[in-house]
Amino acid sequence: MKRSISLTGVWKLTGEGERTGGGPGSIAIDASVPGHVHQDLLAAGLIPDPGYRKQAEECGWVEHWRWSYRREFEVDRLEDGRATLVFEGLDTFADIYLNGTRLARTDNMFVRYRFDVTGQLRTGTNELEIRFRPVAEGIGDKPYAGRGAAFTSERLYARRMQCTFGWDWVGRLVSYGIWRPVRLDFEDVATIDDLYVHTKAIDGRGAAVGIALEATSRSRYPLRAELAILDPSGQPVWQATRKLLGPKLELTADLAEPELWWPAGYGGQPLYKAVAKLHGASGVVDARECSFGIRTARIEQLQDRPGSFEERMTGKLRARGTEWDDNGDRPGSGFALLVNGVPIYCKGANWVPCDPFPGRIPDPHYDNLLRLAREAGMTMLRVWGGGIYEPEAFWDRCDRLGLLVFQDFMMACGTYPEDDEEWMSSLVSEVEGVVRSLRSRPSLIWWNGDNENGMFDGEEDPGYPGRTISERITGRLCAELDPHRPFLPTSPFGGNKNNSFTIGTAHYTGSLLEMFDVFHGTDLRHYRSYFASLLSRFCPEFPMFGTPEIHTLRRFMSEEDLNDPTFDMLEYHTRNHPALVDYSLFRALLTLADKLMPPAVSTVERIRRMSYAQHELTRLVVEIYRRNRPYTGGILFWMFNDCWPASGWSLVDYYGYPKGGYYGFKKAARPVIASIERQEGESRYAFWVCNDMPEAIQGKGMLRILTLNGLIDEAAVWTRAFDFAVEEGTSSLVMTLTLEELDVLLDHRRVLVMDIVGSFGEDRSVHHAGIPADLDLRPSGARIASRTEGPDGGSLVVAADRYAKAVLLHGEYVFSDNYFDLLPGERRTIDYRRLTTGTGANAQEAREIELISWN
């Protein structure tokens, strides 16, 4: 039977290079494996925290040094089988030495390396050394200069995390290290190399489950494979024993009455387990197991039917005349994900690495972030192509939580060297390993070739960047190794330009400059109708930025920075997009907040206005996309989490605390929501109920117009009750009223409120005339009426005498709701909890909670 020696833990790290002030230098310290050079230097006090203020600029020298990791380990006995040295991850260009002899040279952060060291080990003490070459030396004389790429082009030849070469949300922090575990395996006469389980079919009689085992044998005697499937309760439901007559064994397990795996909100997530054992002459020589879910998935792209709502909407979007939707008379086509034959509305965001040094991310941080995604009503995350392939901790939690994952291969925003055979060969090893490692995961819903490499060309163009890679490597290997899962060549993809809003998928980040021109060039008084025009069939990236909460900003800047009216430090941590020359990302956000929100009396309040802007627009966009279901198949925001202490795109900050946009998303992503739309072209107010539940609903609704300065007994000036019924997975117009009837009642002193209630629960939508800054708000008396503490958090009751706008509960907690409005006399109970992230953001003592509102 195979046995292993873990080689993680404390190693010795040495470095040599030029010191910042000039002259050669050297460093010798202890290092942690898994880990990165930067975190060891930080622990030793040799660099400042690169996340604090502008200290990242003081760490740039690390990238240019040579670094070596060394350790000794003991082998008490040498066995008859094969000894294999396994590196789960090396970042990136490294030479591996065992007992003074060079074993191999590596060039890919994403490859799991295995080396046969049978003849190179010795009984007793052995020495292992990993010498990392600087990225510039690893790339060598590759012709990267002038090659098209966002931010910097040398990264295109480095198969490592692309974003830390510098992006518009993280600084340049190129590191080195043994970033995933390393071990020594002593194998028996045979090994199981792979175990793959997939759903072949589901019908009224049960499910057909494919199970494939691959093995390597060094035995002269025949081997026997024993396979079993255990149900979610751990009971065996299928077993088989077969002679292993070659390197691969494929069987089909027919299961009656299977428990199906469903995305979050559509059913449960029962996980089965496949167990494989190899038997030789002496007994079991190797064993492996993997969890899986029974489910099917496909992408449906139906063409618009003549005369249909979809065809009319396609015509309307094309009439805007954008450069992206150059499809002529080609019919539009939808983009819907079907799981187990049921349409799934994909609501979610893009996932980026949680840290510039991902080897130091603790498992509890994944717990917190993915729990937040599930609690926000997300059904999908997209693992973006400029980061990393996430570890098992991420995937285990997605499988259990029902979070679907749309997985990019790690190439983003560039023309990668498809003509470099050495580079392409390394990519083949990477892609094959990744596909094999993830293909049994039920949460993995489709593969995607890259991020935005072919965005400026059409799907039929023979030479768009990345097409050769998708045909020769990513697409080919997915078809060979994972044929039951959809593959898209790039994102976005579809249409005569691969960012068409009426065919396939579209990134509204591609229209960022147009969006910012609207922010700067208009008064934004029609911001709701503008965002209502930004539809697509499926949007894998919709940009919407905002600042973190003040308690988070205090973690990476000083009080002086926080109160600086020039916002120098905040702008530094927002980074910028290279296409923005006349204004920065931060200045675009500041303009948006200043135009939409009431004037701020302090710098801190102005920062909070920028957080509320993200809340308002994220909520608005989710509602718009849901109202237009089934024309739209889903929307994913750019982005869910952050890679370093930043102020920008994310819905959840670097430390794991929700931002204003997170609460806006959560408000609009509930299974059933009420939504109010003022439709100027149709001269009406439209009242919607959007139902993403897998069953039909019925309920009662109430419309009210309330005065902003009235108390509970005098606030309502107009009411209207109604009943409604909405089919499963649809959005329905449940009532309309003319502009003539309601506009005379609505002005800056009143709001229109829509409440719905039914077996699904309840929801509320609030609509005001004009922009938020127009509201004539009087002191509301908003307050925390009571607070109850528990072991992991607590609850509090908030109340208001008059209408209270944008009630913010500020404190180092996750709140069940935030940035909400309170009606006159209303009392609401809000739950809150502490974080358990392992990132230093999880202090257990009770902390202050402050209530802040606009009035």
Side-chain angles (χ1 to χ4, degrees):
M1 189 69 176
K2 181 167 65 179
R3 70 182 181 97
S4 298
I5 297 175
S6 173
L7 298 178
T8 60
V10 178
W11 289 50
K12 296 296 182 181
L13 174 65
T14 58
E16 295 181 350
E18 296 291 326
R19 291 195 177 276
T20 304
S26 62
I27 287 172
I29 57 175
D30 286 343
S32 296
V33 172
H36 297 263
V37 169
H38 279 79
Q39 72 190 75
D40 297 317
L41 294 173
L42 180 60
L46 297 174
I47 60 170
D49 181 357
Y52 187 69
R53 303 192 79 230
K54 298 183 180 181
Q55 292 178 169
E57 298 178 5
E58 301 174 42
C59 304
W61 60 271
V62 177
E63 175 184 344
H64 306 292
W65 277 39
R66 289 174 166 271
W67 299 98
S68 294
Y69 286 76
R70 184 182 59 82
R71 70 158 291 166
E72 294 180 345
F73 61 93
E74 299 295 320
V75 175
D76 56 2
R77 67 185 188 276
L78 295 176
E79 304 185 19
D80 293 336
R82 184 172 64 179
T84 304
L85 186 60
V86 181
F87 292 92
E88 300 287 347
L90 293 170
D91 182 11
T92 291
F93 298 102
D95 293 289
I96 302 168
Y97 289 81
L98 178 61
N99 293 327
T101 301
R102 194 173 84 169
L103 186 65
R105 171 166 279 197
T106 71
D107 63 358
N108 195 315
M109 180 183 187
F110 308 123
V111 169
R112 177 179 179 237
Y113 291 102
R114 296 169 54 89
F115 304 109
D116 187 342
V117 294
T118 305
Q120 300 180 46
L121 287 176
R122 57 196 179 210
T123 303
T125 302
N126 293 261
E127 183 182 72
L128 183 59
E129 184 178 11
I130 319 298
R131 301 175 187 173
F132 288 96
R133 288 167 287 141
V135 165
E137 183 179 328
I139 294 171
D141 59 358
K142 298 288 188 181
Y144 63 82
R147 183 177 283 273
F151 307 100
T152 182
S153 59
E154 80 274 20
R155 65 178 176 84
L156 300 175
Y157 283 92
R159 292 308 302 146
R160 70 176 303 277
M161 181 165 54
Q162 301 284 273
C163 61
T164 50
F165 284 92
W167 223 264
D168 58 356
W169 37 271
V170 60
R172 186 176 179 113
L173 291 165
V174 176
S175 198
Y176 308 94
I178 307 170
W179 74 288
R180 280 185 170 162
V182 54
R183 69 181 185 274
L184 185 63
D185 286 343
F186 292 96
E187 300 170 351
D188 210 319
V189 295
T191 55
I192 298 174
D193 300 320
D194 197 15
L195 180 62
Y196 168 42
V197 187
H198 63 279
T199 305
K200 299 174 76 171
I202 300 172
D203 56 32
R205 295 181 62 85
V209 175
I211 182 166
L213 178 147
E214 295 182 36
T216 300
S217 174
R218 295 169 297 280
S219 173
R220 293 174 296 174
Y221 302 99
L223 298 174
R224 184 167 46 89
E226 179 185 330
L227 301 169
I229 292 177
L230 311 181
D231 71 13
S233 67
Q235 297 302 308
V237 291
W238 178 87
Q239 296 178 351
T241 302
R242 298 287 190 275
K243 285 183 180 180
L244 194 64
L245 301 177
K248 190 171 185 178
L249 175 65
E250 294 184 87
L251 298 173
T252 298
D254 289 314
L255 305 181
E257 300 180 353
E259 298 180 53
L260 300 187
W261 188 95
W262 291 94
Y266 291 82
Q269 292 78 44
L271 293 175
Y272 287 73
K273 182 180 291 184
V275 180
K277 295 179 181 179
L278 273 186
H279 293 264
S282 60
V284 177
V285 296
D286 201 7
R288 182 177 289 202
E289 60 182 43
C290 75
S291 296
F292 68 95
I294 298 176
R295 62 112 181 101
T296 61
R298 71 181 180 93
I299 295 170
E300 179 185 74
Q301 299 190 69
L302 297 177
Q303 289 189 349
D304 297 344
R305 289 177 291 104
S308 66
F309 161 76
E310 287 80 7
E311 185 186 58
R312 292 192 298 274
M313 180 60 75
T314 290
K316 187 176 179 181
L317 291 177
R318 290 180 180 176
R320 291 180 59 212
T322 70
E323 61 173 305
W324 297 107
D325 212 317
D326 184 23
N327 290 296
D329 295 329
R330 178 179 173 180
S333 59
F335 191 100
L337 175 66
L338 306 183
V339 176
N340 301 328
V342 175
I344 307 298
Y345 200 75
C346 300
K347 299 170 290 190
N350 284 252
W351 179 279
V352 301
C354 305
D355 197 277
F357 317 117
R360 70 178 181 179
I361 301 169
D363 286 356
H365 196 48
Y366 286 108
D367 287 330
N368 175 64
L369 290 175
L370 294 171
R371 177 181 176 181
L372 285 172
R374 174 69 185 263
E375 290 174 345
M378 293 188 178
T379 52
M380 177 176 281
L381 295 170
R382 174 191 176 213
V383 177
W384 171 76
I388 62 172
Y389 302 103
E390 294 294 339
E392 289 188 5
F394 170 88
W395 290 98
D396 288 343
R397 287 150 182 81
C398 289
D399 287 348
R400 293 200 306 266
L401 293 170
L403 292 169
L404 301 174
V405 180
F406 154 14
Q407 173 70 57
D408 285 7
F409 290 103
M410 292 299 123
M411 291 163 283
C413 304
T415 53
Y416 286 84
E418 297 169 289
D419 56 345
D420 187 314
E421 290 303 320
E422 181 184 25
W423 186 93
M424 294 281 276
S425 176
S426 181
L427 184 64
V428 169
S429 298
E430 169 190 326
V431 172
E432 179 172 353
V434 168
V435 173
R436 287 183 178 276
S437 70
L438 297 180
R439 59 184 177 170
S440 295
R441 295 284 185 177
S443 56
L444 174 59
I445 208 68
W446 77 74
W447 296 104
N448 183 65
D450 62 58
N451 173 72
E452 296 185 351
N453 294 348
M455 185 167 71
F456 297 95
D457 299 277
E459 62 177 311
E460 295 183 345
D461 292 340
Y464 67 72
R467 181 158 193 152
T468 297
I469 290 172
S470 69
E471 291 176 351
R472 287 179 50 188
I473 300 178
T474 52
R476 175 182 64 82
L477 287 171
C478 285
E480 292 175 3
L481 300 172
D482 194 18
H484 301 276
R485 187 173 273 112
F487 169 82
L488 297 178
T490 184
S491 183
F493 181 73
N496 292 342
K497 189 169 282 190
N498 278 327
N499 199 30
S500 170
F501 305 133
T502 60
I503 297 171
T505 66
H507 291 194
Y508 263 103
T509 46
S511 300
L512 200 60
L513 298 184
E514 174 202 305
M515 192 179 294
F516 286 1
D517 285 343
V518 171
F519 293 175
H520 281 262
T522 74
D523 59 11
L524 289 177
R525 300 205 64 81
H526 301 288
Y527 75 99
R528 283 177 286 212
S529 61
Y530 169 70
F531 280 99
S533 71
L534 304 184
L535 287 176
S536 64
R537 307 316 287 258
F538 188 98
C539 185
E541 286 191 18
F542 197 102
M544 192 46 60
F545 44 19
T547 53
E549 300 303 335
I550 299 301
H551 63 78
T552 283
L553 296 179
R554 288 190 171 113
R555 292 176 179 270
F556 61 86
M557 64 176 63
S558 68
E559 287 296 320
E560 183 180 1
D561 297 330
L562 189 62
N563 290 284
D564 177 7
T566 71
F567 299 109
D568 175 67
M569 194 61 63
L570 196 59
E571 185 161 10
Y572 176 82
H573 278 268
T574 306
R575 313 309 295 165
N576 196 31
H577 193 283
L580 298 179
V581 178
D582 297 330
Y583 49 87
S584 65
L585 289 174
F586 175 79
R587 295 295 154 178
L589 172 60
L590 186 63
T591 298
L592 178 68
D594 284 349
K595 287 187 175 182
L596 286 183
M597 309 304 160
V601 299
S602 68
T603 300
V604 168
E605 187 173 279
R606 206 172 175 199
I607 292 171
R608 287 196 168 114
R609 295 288 193 263
M610 288 184 270
S611 185
Y612 185 79
Q614 188 188 36
H615 176 278
E616 167 73 4
L617 296 182
T618 301
R619 176 200 59 78
L620 177 66
V621 169
V622 176
E623 287 190 29
I624 289 167
Y625 266 72
R626 290 185 68 181
R627 289 197 303 255
N628 284 279
R629 184 180 183 182
Y631 190 83
T632 66
I635 180 168
L636 310 181
F637 279 85
W638 182 260
M639 53 198 193
F640 178 70
N641 58 315
D642 251 320
C643 188
W644 81 317
S647 172
W649 301 113
S650 69
L651 301 179
V652 177
D653 69 35
Y654 169 73
Y655 302 99
Y657 289 103
K659 293 166 58 178
Y662 172 88
Y663 291 110
F665 183 100
K666 184 177 182 180
K667 168 71 177 69
R670 298 178 67 183
V672 178
I673 62 165
S675 182
I676 302 172
E677 180 184 17
R678 188 179 189 277
Q679 298 178 333
E680 187 79 31
E682 288 77 13
S683 299
R684 69 184 186 183
Y685 281 87
F687 300 91
W688 296 85
V689 172
C690 305
N691 175 26
D692 283 350
M693 296 178 68
E695 62 265 359
I697 59 170
Q698 294 181 337
K700 295 184 177 296
M702 175 66 72
L703 303 178
R704 290 177 286 171
I705 292 180
L706 306 179
T707 61
L708 296 176
N709 60 357
L711 298 175
I712 185 170
D713 295 330
E714 58 187 20
V717 299
W718 176 92
T719 62
R720 182 76 57 86
F722 61 93
D723 297 327
F724 65 87
V726 181
E727 295 299 312
E728 68 275 9
T730 60
S731 298
S732 294
L733 197 59
V734 295
M735 177 175 279
T736 61
L737 293 170
T738 65
L739 298 185
E740 182 181 17
E741 181 178 358
L742 290 186
D743 278 352
V744 295
L745 298 172
L746 281 175
D747 58 21
H748 62 283
R749 297 166 298 176
R750 295 171 176 172
V751 292
L752 173 61
V753 180
M754 175 185 180
D755 285 297
I756 58 173
V757 63
S759 59
F760 55 84
E762 59 186 35
D763 194 53
R764 171 182 294 163
S765 180
V766 178
H767 178 87
H768 54 78
I771 60 176
D774 293 339
L775 293 172
D776 182 16
L777 298 168
R778 306 295 174 85
S780 67
R783 61 199 179 274
I784 298 175
S786 63
R787 177 177 175 180
T788 303
E789 282 293 313
D792 299 312
S795 64
L796 48 83
V797 175
V798 294
D801 301 323
R802 293 180 174 83
Y803 181 88
K805 181 66 179 173
V807 175
L808 166 64
L809 295 168
H810 177 256
E812 295 181 54
Y813 296 98
V814 175
F815 297 94
S816 58
D817 196 6
N818 223 337
Y819 291 92
F820 50 85
D821 296 353
L822 284 173
L823 302 190
E826 187 173 22
R827 298 171 68 87
R828 287 191 59 191
T829 298
I830 304 295
D831 297 324
Y832 59 91
R833 62 176 173 85
R834 300 180 181 88
L835 296 187
T836 53
T837 66
T839 63
N842 58 334
Q844 293 301 302
E845 71 272 12
R847 293 182 176 270
E848 179 184 359
I849 296 176
E850 181 183 12
L851 187 147
I852 303 158
S853 70
W854 287 5
N855 61 317

